Amino acid sequence: MSSLKRSKRETNSLCNRAHWCSPHQSLCVGDLNTNKNLTMDLFNSALGKNITFVRPAYFIISGFIGIPNVIYYYIFLFFVYIISVVGNTVVMTVIYLDHNLWTPKYIVVFNLAFVDLFGTTALVPKVLDLFLFNNNRISYSDCLTFLFFCYVTLSMQVLNLIALSYDRLIAITYPLHYQVRVTHRFMFSLIASFWLFAIFLTLLLVGLLTRLSFCKSSVVVNSYFCDHGQIYRQACNDITPTSVYILFVIVIHLWFPLSFILGTYVCIIIALTRVATAQERVKALKTCTGHISLVAIYFIPILITFTLGGNIHPNSRIINLSLTSVFPPMLNPIVYVLQTQEIKTSLRKLLKITIQSKITVKKVLIR
């Protein structure tokens, strides 16, 4: 009770010093520096008490700044999106129709294609609506929903890469035990747990955002979507819990997956050194080329962004992040079609069946 009373006194003191108050908000908005001095007691008491947070009516997504004819970049994203939709739909269709591909590995590939399709559909159409049709204002609740779906799919992309690396590890290092260790039931359970994990972490991320107060009725987000990092740094109250959680999420979704994947390939290389012939080593490595390509496509742009940090120009950051979001979903199906023999064989078989069925239909109609 004492911490709650102290928090109320701090809130009332902030309102008394305020020089502006929104007619639509029950809490006054005042001096930014004063509001940043609110202690953790205010935050902690708000977790379970009836404390009102100042939330903007809407966010303004700025997009690119000072670049002429930027509309052509968004048109380019639209064509990338179309290719992504077609490519991932083809991969999912081939896996679904060919029962020979109903293996644990291709359960993950199917899920990866679904995540890519879902993620780009959640992101690109909204981005086009924001900037091609000048609707760059997005309401508070819509922005958080937009953020939630974008981050869930981003998390699932990296978790799928972990599942594929585990599949390759067992297939190459323990080939005789592969059928026992990597079963359909195991892979379905792994994918389901990954979905629950990604949703849970993202819900916490969004939940912490709802515990932040903002000093303006509209907040400008210097990004191309509802970028979490750009939003929470503009809060007026203590952002320490969110900052700590962000570090945790970065470790869980960037450094741990990257370390795990690199570790699996170290184990694979060690196992291949024990293989008798160079031809067998090359054959084993060829089964990993598709996965290695996906890992490089996903991690390299993200690592560049994190390495440069605050030194990167906002426009460069938008280009890097937007391409990171749309290029992997476009390239993933292309990589698997071109580098995976099973997919190519199944695709040829389905095309042959389709062509033969059309010829048969024409002959029947002619008769």
Side-chain angles (χ1 to χ4, degrees), residues 46-64:
L47 289 176
K49 307 298 180 180
N50 189 22
I51 301 297
T52 304
F53 294 94
V54 183
R55 293 166 183 169
Y58 52 84
F59 293 99
I60 298 175
I61 313 298
S62 66
F64 290 100

PDB file of all heavy atoms in Angstrom, residues 46-64:
ATOM      1  N   ALA A  46       1.999  -0.614 -10.781  1.00  0.00           N
ATOM      2  CA  ALA A  46       1.051  -0.614 -11.902  1.00  0.00           C
ATOM      3  C   ALA A  46       0.791  -2.009 -12.439  1.00  0.00           C
ATOM      4  O   ALA A  46      -0.189  -2.238 -13.127  1.00  0.00           O
ATOM      5  CB  ALA A  46       1.592   0.263 -13.034  1.00  0.00           C
ATOM      6  N   LEU A  47       1.679  -2.944 -12.108  1.00  0.00           N
ATOM      7  CA  LEU A  47       1.477  -4.291 -12.632  1.00  0.00           C
ATOM      8  C   LEU A  47       0.197  -4.921 -12.112  1.00  0.00           C
ATOM      9  O   LEU A  47      -0.436  -5.704 -12.790  1.00  0.00           O
ATOM     10  CB  LEU A  47       2.684  -5.168 -12.258  1.00  0.00           C
ATOM     11  CG  LEU A  47       3.991  -4.842 -12.996  1.00  0.00           C
ATOM     12  CD1 LEU A  47       5.115  -5.712 -12.459  1.00  0.00           C
ATOM     13  CD2 LEU A  47       3.834  -5.040 -14.490  1.00  0.00           C
ATOM     14  N   GLY A  48      -0.187  -4.553 -10.878  1.00  0.00           N
ATOM     15  CA  GLY A  48      -1.378  -5.179 -10.325  1.00  0.00           C
ATOM     16  C   GLY A  48      -2.384  -4.188  -9.794  1.00  0.00           C
ATOM     17  O   GLY A  48      -3.350  -4.580  -9.168  1.00  0.00           O
ATOM     18  N   LYS A  49      -2.171  -2.913  -9.997  1.00  0.00           N
ATOM     19  CA  LYS A  49      -3.049  -1.899  -9.443  1.00  0.00           C
ATOM     20  C   LYS A  49      -3.738  -1.118 -10.549  1.00  0.00           C
ATOM     21  O   LYS A  49      -3.376  -1.206 -11.718  1.00  0.00           O
ATOM     22  CB  LYS A  49      -2.249  -0.943  -8.552  1.00  0.00           C
ATOM     23  CG  LYS A  49      -1.429  -1.657  -7.472  1.00  0.00           C
ATOM     24  CD  LYS A  49      -2.297  -2.441  -6.494  1.00  0.00           C
ATOM     25  CE  LYS A  49      -1.453  -3.139  -5.431  1.00  0.00           C
ATOM     26  NZ  LYS A  49      -2.273  -3.902  -4.482  1.00  0.00           N
ATOM     27  N   ASN A  50      -4.705  -0.338 -10.156  1.00  0.00           N
ATOM     28  CA  ASN A  50      -5.512   0.408 -11.111  1.00  0.00           C
ATOM     29  C   ASN A  50      -4.830   1.734 -11.459  1.00  0.00           C
ATOM     30  O   ASN A  50      -5.258   2.797 -11.040  1.00  0.00           O
ATOM     31  CB  ASN A  50      -6.909   0.654 -10.527  1.00  0.00           C
ATOM     32  CG  ASN A  50      -7.850   1.234 -11.562  1.00  0.00           C
ATOM     33  OD1 ASN A  50      -7.617   1.087 -12.764  1.00  0.00           O
ATOM     34  ND2 ASN A  50      -8.903   1.891 -11.105  1.00  0.00           N
ATOM     35  N   ILE A  51      -3.724   1.658 -12.214  1.00  0.00           N
ATOM     36  CA  ILE A  51      -2.989   2.832 -12.644  1.00  0.00           C
ATOM     37  C   ILE A  51      -3.272   3.057 -14.126  1.00  0.00           C
ATOM     38  O   ILE A  51      -3.226   2.128 -14.919  1.00  0.00           O
ATOM     39  CB  ILE A  51      -1.477   2.662 -12.429  1.00  0.00           C
ATOM     40  CG1 ILE A  51      -1.180   2.411 -10.948  1.00  0.00           C
ATOM     41  CG2 ILE A  51      -0.724   3.891 -12.902  1.00  0.00           C
ATOM     42  CD1 ILE A  51      -1.544   3.552 -10.022  1.00  0.00           C
ATOM     43  N   THR A  52      -3.570   4.280 -14.504  1.00  0.00           N
ATOM     44  CA  THR A  52      -3.877   4.602 -15.897  1.00  0.00           C
ATOM     45  C   THR A  52      -2.596   4.968 -16.639  1.00  0.00           C
ATOM     46  O   THR A  52      -1.796   5.761 -16.145  1.00  0.00           O
ATOM     47  CB  THR A  52      -4.858   5.776 -15.983  1.00  0.00           C
ATOM     48  OG1 THR A  52      -6.025   5.442 -15.237  1.00  0.00           O
ATOM     49  CG2 THR A  52      -5.234   6.054 -17.427  1.00  0.00           C
ATOM     50  N   PHE A  53      -2.414   4.397 -17.819  1.00  0.00           N
ATOM     51  CA  PHE A  53      -1.250   4.695 -18.633  1.00  0.00           C
ATOM     52  C   PHE A  53      -1.650   5.646 -19.759  1.00  0.00           C
ATOM     53  O   PHE A  53      -2.753   5.565 -20.295  1.00  0.00           O
ATOM     54  CB  PHE A  53      -0.657   3.415 -19.221  1.00  0.00           C
ATOM     55  CG  PHE A  53      -0.084   2.488 -18.184  1.00  0.00           C
ATOM     56  CD1 PHE A  53      -0.856   1.471 -17.660  1.00  0.00           C
ATOM     57  CD2 PHE A  53       1.207   2.656 -17.736  1.00  0.00           C
ATOM     58  CE1 PHE A  53      -0.343   0.617 -16.705  1.00  0.00           C
ATOM     59  CE2 PHE A  53       1.729   1.809 -16.774  1.00  0.00           C
ATOM     60  CZ  PHE A  53       0.960   0.785 -16.262  1.00  0.00           C
ATOM     61  N   VAL A  54      -0.726   6.527 -20.125  1.00  0.00           N
ATOM     62  CA  VAL A  54      -0.963   7.463 -21.217  1.00  0.00           C
ATOM     63  C   VAL A  54      -0.595   6.782 -22.521  1.00  0.00           C
ATOM     64  O   VAL A  54       0.564   6.438 -22.739  1.00  0.00           O
ATOM     65  CB  VAL A  54      -0.127   8.746 -21.040  1.00  0.00           C
ATOM     66  CG1 VAL A  54      -0.448   9.733 -22.154  1.00  0.00           C
ATOM     67  CG2 VAL A  54      -0.384   9.364 -19.692  1.00  0.00           C
ATOM     68  N   ARG A  55      -1.581   6.565 -23.366  1.00  0.00           N
ATOM     69  CA  ARG A  55      -1.345   5.904 -24.638  1.00  0.00           C
ATOM     70  C   ARG A  55      -1.737   6.832 -25.779  1.00  0.00           C
ATOM     71  O   ARG A  55      -2.785   7.473 -25.714  1.00  0.00           O
ATOM     72  CB  ARG A  55      -2.140   4.599 -24.714  1.00  0.00           C
ATOM     73  CG  ARG A  55      -1.651   3.553 -23.718  1.00  0.00           C
ATOM     74  CD  ARG A  55      -2.610   2.419 -23.548  1.00  0.00           C
ATOM     75  NE  ARG A  55      -2.143   1.467 -22.546  1.00  0.00           N
ATOM     76  CZ  ARG A  55      -2.876   0.492 -22.045  1.00  0.00           C
ATOM     77  NH1 ARG A  55      -4.131   0.347 -22.452  1.00  0.00           N
ATOM     78  NH2 ARG A  55      -2.378  -0.319 -21.141  1.00  0.00           N
ATOM     79  N   PRO A  56      -0.935   6.878 -26.831  1.00  0.00           N
ATOM     80  CA  PRO A  56      -1.273   7.752 -27.960  1.00  0.00           C
ATOM     81  C   PRO A  56      -2.496   7.244 -28.708  1.00  0.00           C
ATOM     82  O   PRO A  56      -2.770   6.039 -28.722  1.00  0.00           O
ATOM     83  CB  PRO A  56      -0.025   7.690 -28.842  1.00  0.00           C
ATOM     84  CG  PRO A  56       0.591   6.374 -28.526  1.00  0.00           C
ATOM     85  CD  PRO A  56       0.303   6.126 -27.065  1.00  0.00           C
ATOM     86  N   ALA A  57      -3.219   8.176 -29.302  1.00  0.00           N
ATOM     87  CA  ALA A  57      -4.379   7.768 -30.096  1.00  0.00           C
ATOM     88  C   ALA A  57      -3.938   6.965 -31.316  1.00  0.00           C
ATOM     89  O   ALA A  57      -4.629   6.041 -31.750  1.00  0.00           O
ATOM     90  CB  ALA A  57      -5.175   8.994 -30.533  1.00  0.00           C
ATOM     91  N   TYR A  58      -2.772   7.305 -31.859  1.00  0.00           N
ATOM     92  CA  TYR A  58      -2.268   6.606 -33.043  1.00  0.00           C
ATOM     93  C   TYR A  58      -0.758   6.792 -33.130  1.00  0.00           C
ATOM     94  O   TYR A  58      -0.163   7.657 -32.459  1.00  0.00           O
ATOM     95  CB  TYR A  58      -2.939   7.124 -34.320  1.00  0.00           C
ATOM     96  CG  TYR A  58      -2.875   8.622 -34.484  1.00  0.00           C
ATOM     97  CD1 TYR A  58      -1.758   9.246 -35.049  1.00  0.00           C
ATOM     98  CD2 TYR A  58      -3.928   9.426 -34.070  1.00  0.00           C
ATOM     99  CE1 TYR A  58      -1.697  10.622 -35.192  1.00  0.00           C
ATOM    100  CE2 TYR A  58      -3.882  10.810 -34.204  1.00  0.00           C
ATOM    101  CZ  TYR A  58      -2.764  11.401 -34.767  1.00  0.00           C
ATOM    102  OH  TYR A  58      -2.694  12.765 -34.901  1.00  0.00           O
ATOM    103  N   PHE A  59      -0.129   5.955 -33.949  1.00  0.00           N
ATOM    104  CA  PHE A  59       1.283   6.086 -34.285  1.00  0.00           C
ATOM    105  C   PHE A  59       1.392   6.578 -35.729  1.00  0.00           C
ATOM    106  O   PHE A  59       0.573   6.223 -36.578  1.00  0.00           O
ATOM    107  CB  PHE A  59       2.007   4.746 -34.153  1.00  0.00           C
ATOM    108  CG  PHE A  59       2.102   4.229 -32.746  1.00  0.00           C
ATOM    109  CD1 PHE A  59       1.217   3.263 -32.283  1.00  0.00           C
ATOM    110  CD2 PHE A  59       3.076   4.704 -31.884  1.00  0.00           C
ATOM    111  CE1 PHE A  59       1.308   2.775 -30.992  1.00  0.00           C
ATOM    112  CE2 PHE A  59       3.177   4.228 -30.586  1.00  0.00           C
ATOM    113  CZ  PHE A  59       2.289   3.264 -30.134  1.00  0.00           C
ATOM    114  N   ILE A  60       2.421   7.359 -35.982  1.00  0.00           N
ATOM    115  CA  ILE A  60       2.716   7.811 -37.345  1.00  0.00           C
ATOM    116  C   ILE A  60       3.956   7.063 -37.821  1.00  0.00           C
ATOM    117  O   ILE A  60       5.040   7.219 -37.253  1.00  0.00           O
ATOM    118  CB  ILE A  60       2.951   9.327 -37.402  1.00  0.00           C
ATOM    119  CG1 ILE A  60       1.689  10.078 -36.953  1.00  0.00           C
ATOM    120  CG2 ILE A  60       3.351   9.752 -38.821  1.00  0.00           C
ATOM    121  CD1 ILE A  60       1.872  11.581 -36.867  1.00  0.00           C
ATOM    122  N   ILE A  61       3.821   6.239 -38.851  1.00  0.00           N
ATOM    123  CA  ILE A  61       4.942   5.492 -39.404  1.00  0.00           C
ATOM    124  C   ILE A  61       5.599   6.371 -40.466  1.00  0.00           C
ATOM    125  O   ILE A  61       4.999   6.645 -41.507  1.00  0.00           O
ATOM    126  CB  ILE A  61       4.484   4.155 -40.015  1.00  0.00           C
ATOM    127  CG1 ILE A  61       3.532   3.420 -39.050  1.00  0.00           C
ATOM    128  CG2 ILE A  61       5.670   3.293 -40.370  1.00  0.00           C
ATOM    129  CD1 ILE A  61       4.145   3.047 -37.730  1.00  0.00           C
ATOM    130  N   SER A  62       6.808   6.819 -40.195  1.00  0.00           N
ATOM    131  CA  SER A  62       7.440   7.832 -41.056  1.00  0.00           C
ATOM    132  C   SER A  62       7.916   7.267 -42.383  1.00  0.00           C
ATOM    133  O   SER A  62       7.846   7.927 -43.416  1.00  0.00           O
ATOM    134  CB  SER A  62       8.624   8.478 -40.327  1.00  0.00           C
ATOM    135  OG  SER A  62       9.660   7.528 -40.113  1.00  0.00           O
ATOM    136  N   GLY A  63       8.425   6.024 -42.376  1.00  0.00           N
ATOM    137  CA  GLY A  63       9.007   5.471 -43.595  1.00  0.00           C
ATOM    138  C   GLY A  63      10.304   6.173 -43.937  1.00  0.00           C
ATOM    139  O   GLY A  63      11.008   6.687 -43.065  1.00  0.00           O
ATOM    140  N   PHE A  64      10.635   6.195 -45.228  1.00  0.00           N
ATOM    141  CA  PHE A  64      11.872   6.840 -45.670  1.00  0.00           C
ATOM    142  C   PHE A  64      11.772   8.360 -45.515  1.00  0.00           C
ATOM    143  O   PHE A  64      10.700   8.941 -45.667  1.00  0.00           O
ATOM    144  CB  PHE A  64      12.167   6.494 -47.129  1.00  0.00           C
ATOM    145  CG  PHE A  64      12.556   5.071 -47.350  1.00  0.00           C
ATOM    146  CD1 PHE A  64      11.644   4.151 -47.826  1.00  0.00           C
ATOM    147  CD2 PHE A  64      13.838   4.637 -47.060  1.00  0.00           C
ATOM    148  CE1 PHE A  64      11.996   2.837 -48.032  1.00  0.00           C
ATOM    149  CE2 PHE A  64      14.209   3.317 -47.254  1.00  0.00           C
ATOM    150  CZ  PHE A  64      13.285   2.415 -47.746  1.00  0.00           C
TER     151      PHE A  64
END
